[in-house]
């Protein structure tokens, strides 16, 4: 009986959750539909379902883990999952995670040689913080890069604590399962909204951000409504959160051969995520899905090639072709092309020549944008931000960080770090989360090839 409950609980809980969502939505009037508090009951149900799922699957999720390592996995998973609901919760949880890992490493008297990946991250962080010294407006300069202080501690803590490979099961599955439930909630909310508005369910296929009009009271486009359950309430950030968790889920599904995440779960997540990306008109996630799927296919093909030189040669060719295709899509389609961002990106490339080596200092990007009379505070591109604020030296450290993750991933046949970093790179090229607390669990658990048990 217990084994049957463990086997079918996930799907039974999904069915009950859908019933709870449907019942709740039909009880809401138009005003309540736009109130985040209206969804607290559903979110409470999700929390209960997740706790029960973790308990029922505790043997496989926490297999060969000590109590403390299991605790670290849960805290790290909570940081990732909470980003979707309220990204500001990450700060406190990230501090707790770093302190736990440091204390555990000191207690176990472990010490690891500093890893090149973390050293490159440290070099980039130091460059970021030092750029305050040559900023033209030092009073506000530190406000632009204060969150990078976390990255000073991450390389140090990685010398005392390195997660084992088995911890990745719990770290990945918990946010994956939570995200699957949130995707169901979002899709159900969208279906209810379309029924309420009397519009076709496939309206999102128009690839037009005005496809549902504006909400009279808030001024937000109506397509925001399916994520009203989130305090984050930012389509691109939430869609990207689903995307990066999906990349980890793919790796775990392949690595464990369906033992932790089964094929149907992964395919359902993929379908729902693609649908949500279109519903939210999240351009970066739509592109990201195609780019990452191409990477997954490419890795599978390259596993059949035995010569490293051929792999490198083919990879460079495909990367160049893929980059050119992506550029053409972005520049030649009205949906993906953003003239405002294209204008500030072009200005950043022009003005970096004024401070080519070390950049204009922290916050220089904001001055550059305001000089164009554009009401933005950042370039929404972490690579161009590094170029404008820290110059070629800063950009070189950032690119070195990416290159080393790819190098050690290929060397150790550990693709999780490559997948996760690519998901970050795609988002950092259009929005930007580099340096924020959400990076802590991903960088600590995913980038460095883990210890083998």
């Amino acid at each position: 009986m217990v084994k049957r409950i463990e086997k079918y609980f996930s799907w039974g809980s999904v069915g009950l959750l859908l019933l709870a969502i449907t019942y709740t939505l039909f009880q809401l009037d138009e005003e309540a539909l736009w109130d985040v508090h209206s969804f607290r009951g559903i979110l409470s149900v999700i929390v209960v379902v997740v706790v029960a799922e973790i308990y029922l699957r505790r043997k496989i999720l926490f297999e060969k883990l000590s109590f403390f390592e299991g605790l670290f996995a849960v805290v790290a998973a909570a940081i990732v999952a909470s980003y979707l609901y309220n990204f500001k919760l990450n700060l406190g949880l990230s501090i707790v995670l770093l302190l736990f890992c440091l204390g555990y490493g000191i207690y176990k008297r472990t010490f690891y040689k500093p890893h090149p990946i973390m050293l490159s991250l440290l070099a980039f962080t130091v460059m970021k913080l030092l750029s305050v010294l040559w900023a033209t407006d030092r009073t506000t300069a530190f406000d632009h890069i204060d969150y990078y202080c976390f990255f000073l501690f991450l390389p140090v803590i990685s010398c005392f604590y390195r997660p084992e490979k088995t911890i990745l099961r719990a770290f990945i599955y918990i946010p994956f399962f939570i995200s699957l439930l949130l995707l169901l909630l979002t899709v159900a909310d969208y279906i209810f909204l379309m029924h309420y508005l009397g519009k076709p369910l496939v309206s999102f296929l128009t690839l037009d951000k005005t496809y549902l009009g504006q909400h009279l009271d808030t001024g937000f486009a109506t397509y925001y409504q399916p994520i009203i359950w989130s305090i984050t309430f930012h389509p691109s950030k939430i869609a990207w959160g689903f995307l990066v968790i999906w990349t980890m889920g793919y790796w775990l599904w392949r690595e464990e051969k369906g033992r932790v995440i089964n094929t149907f779960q992964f395919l359902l997540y993929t379908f729902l995520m693609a649908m949500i990306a279109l519903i939210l008109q999240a351009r970066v996630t739509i592109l990201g899905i195609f780019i990452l799927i191409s990477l997954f296919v490419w890795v599978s093909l390259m596993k059949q090639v035995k010569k490293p030189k051929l792999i490198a040669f083919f990879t460079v060719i495909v990367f160049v072709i893929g980059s050119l295709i992506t550029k053409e899509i972005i520049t030649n389609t009205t949906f993906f092309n953003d003239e405002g961002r294209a204008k500030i990106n072009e200005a950043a490339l022009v003005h970096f020549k004024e401070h080519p080596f070390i950049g204009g200092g922290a916050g220089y990007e904001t001055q550059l944008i305001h000089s164009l009379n554009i009401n933005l505070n950042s370039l929404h591109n972490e690579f161009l931000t590094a170029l404008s604020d820290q110059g070629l030296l800063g950009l070189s450290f950032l690119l070195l960080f990416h290159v080393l993750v790819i190098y050690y991933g290929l060397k150790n046949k550990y693709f999780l770090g490559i997948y996760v970093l690519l998901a970050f790179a795609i988002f950092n090229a259009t929005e930007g989360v580099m340096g924020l607390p959400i990076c802590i669990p991903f960088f600590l658990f995913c980038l460095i090839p883990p210890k083998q048990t």
Side-chain angles (χ1 to χ4, degrees):
M1 184 65 179
V2 175
K3 290 184 177 180
R4 286 196 172 187
I5 292 175
E6 292 177 359
K7 183 177 181 180
Y8 296 109
F9 177 79
S10 297
W11 301 116
S13 63
V14 166
L16 291 173
L17 178 63
L18 286 175
L19 289 175
I21 293 171
T22 303
Y23 174 80
T24 301
L25 290 175
F26 274 104
Q27 301 304 308
L28 302 180
D29 55 23
E30 184 179 5
E31 183 178 351
L33 195 64
W34 278 88
D35 185 358
V36 66
H37 299 287
S38 301
F39 293 83
R40 294 286 170 83
I42 297 176
L43 294 176
S44 298
V45 172
I46 289 177
V47 170
V48 172
V49 169
V50 170
V51 171
E53 174 74 3
I54 294 172
Y55 177 77
L56 290 172
R57 304 199 67 183
R58 64 192 183 279
K59 290 183 179 179
I60 187 172
L61 294 179
F62 303 105
E63 185 180 18
K64 297 181 181 179
L65 295 181
S66 67
F67 169 80
F68 290 106
E69 290 173 310
L71 178 63
F72 300 162
V74 171
V75 173
I79 296 171
V80 174
S82 66
Y83 171 87
L84 298 168
Y85 174 66
N86 185 354
F87 68 96
K88 293 182 179 180
L89 291 175
N90 300 143
L91 178 60
L93 288 173
S94 295
I95 294 173
V96 170
L97 178 65
L98 291 175
L99 290 176
F100 276 175
C101 293
L102 178 61
Y104 184 76
I106 294 174
Y107 171 73
K108 298 290 279 187
R109 297 180 181 180
T110 55
F111 183 79
Y112 303 93
K113 182 181 179 181
H115 199 282
I117 291 175
M118 288 299 172
L119 290 178
S120 62
L121 181 62
L122 179 62
F124 176 64
T125 302
V126 170
M127 185 70 182
K128 270 281 185 182
L129 296 175
L130 287 179
S131 66
V132 173
L133 299 178
W134 58 85
T136 54
D137 185 2
R138 293 188 184 182
T139 57
T140 61
F142 187 69
D143 294 337
H144 291 268
I145 45 87
D146 55 350
Y147 41 77
Y148 274 91
C149 291
F150 275 104
F151 284 180
L152 290 176
F153 300 101
L154 188 56
V156 174
I157 290 171
S158 69
C159 293
F160 291 90
Y161 176 77
R162 297 274 177 87
E164 296 181 354
K165 193 173 183 179
T166 49
I167 203 174
L168 295 173
R169 292 175 189 160
F171 170 63
I172 295 174
Y173 181 76
I174 294 173
F176 181 89
F177 185 69
I178 293 173
S179 297
L180 183 59
L181 300 182
L182 291 176
L183 284 167
L184 287 168
L185 168 59
T186 308
V187 169
D189 193 5
Y190 171 77
I191 292 173
F192 182 86
L193 177 65
M194 301 307 288
H195 174 76
Y196 179 83
L197 296 175
K199 290 180 176 288
L201 289 178
V202 294
S203 297
F204 56 78
L205 294 178
T206 58
L207 295 181
D208 181 356
K209 288 195 172 187
T210 64
Y211 78 98
L212 286 178
Q214 300 286 324
H215 188 269
L216 296 177
D217 296 330
T218 65
F220 284 113
T222 308
Y223 69 84
Y224 274 57
Q225 202 282 327
I227 55 169
I228 192 63
W229 51 264
S230 170
I231 297 174
T232 299
F233 202 56
H234 189 295
S236 294
K237 289 182 179 179
I238 292 175
W240 172 78
F242 287 135
L243 179 71
V244 70
I245 292 170
W246 173 70
T247 64
M248 297 195 302
Y250 171 80
W251 178 84
L252 186 62
W253 169 61
R254 290 295 301 268
E255 191 72 14
E256 294 286 341
K257 296 179 173 56
R259 181 170 172 240
V260 182
I261 296 174
N262 62 51
T263 301
F264 185 75
Q265 280 180 314
F266 178 74
L267 292 177
L268 177 62
Y269 189 109
T270 303
F271 172 76
L272 293 175
M273 180 188 63
M275 185 176 177
I276 291 302
L278 291 167
I279 288 172
L280 299 180
Q281 301 291 285
R283 294 173 294 185
V284 60
T285 303
I286 295 171
L287 278 176
I289 291 172
F290 287 106
I291 292 172
L292 285 163
I293 288 178
S294 299
L295 176 63
F296 298 157
V297 173
W298 183 251
V299 169
S300 298
L301 291 174
M302 288 301 98
K303 285 182 178 180
Q304 311 303 318
V305 180
K306 303 303 181 182
K307 296 182 179 180
K309 290 184 179 180
L310 282 178
I311 294 175
F313 176 72
F314 290 145
T315 301
V316 169
I317 292 176
V318 170
F319 175 78
V320 172
I321 294 174
S323 299
L324 292 174
I325 292 174
T326 302
K327 181 181 177 181
E328 286 296 311
I329 292 174
I330 293 174
T331 55
N332 295 320
T333 58
T334 55
F335 179 70
F336 290 101
N337 188 19
D338 190 322
E339 293 183 1
R341 293 192 183 184
K343 184 178 180 181
I344 60 177
N345 290 344
E346 183 180 352
L349 292 173
V350 171
H351 284 277
F352 108 90
K353 298 175 183 178
E354 299 172 3
H355 312 278
F357 186 62
I358 59 173
Y364 180 68
E365 62 172 337
T366 302
Q367 299 174 44
L368 189 154
I369 294 170
H370 289 174
S371 68
L372 300 173
N373 295 319
I374 296 176
N375 189 25
L376 290 174
N377 291 319
S378 70
L379 292 169
H380 291 278
N381 186 315
E382 295 287 353
F383 301 96
L384 287 180
T385 294
L387 183 64
S388 66
D389 292 10
Q390 290 80 40
L392 291 172
L393 185 59
L395 180 62
S396 297
F397 287 140
L398 180 58
L399 294 178
L400 177 63
F401 168 66
H402 286 72
V403 169
L404 289 176
V405 171
I406 295 172
Y407 170 77
Y408 283 99
L410 293 175
K411 181 180 180 181
N412 294 277
K413 296 182 179 179
Y414 174 69
F415 297 103
L416 176 61
I418 298 175
Y419 296 157
V420 168
L421 191 69
L422 181 57
F424 268 81
I426 291 169
F427 195 65
N428 284 332
T430 56
E431 289 287 343
V433 292
M434 194 67 177
L436 297 180
I438 189 60
C439 297
I440 299 296
F442 288 111
F443 287 6
L444 184 62
F445 281 77
C446 298
L447 298 191
I448 301 177
K451 300 186 301 179
Q452 299 290 335
T453 55

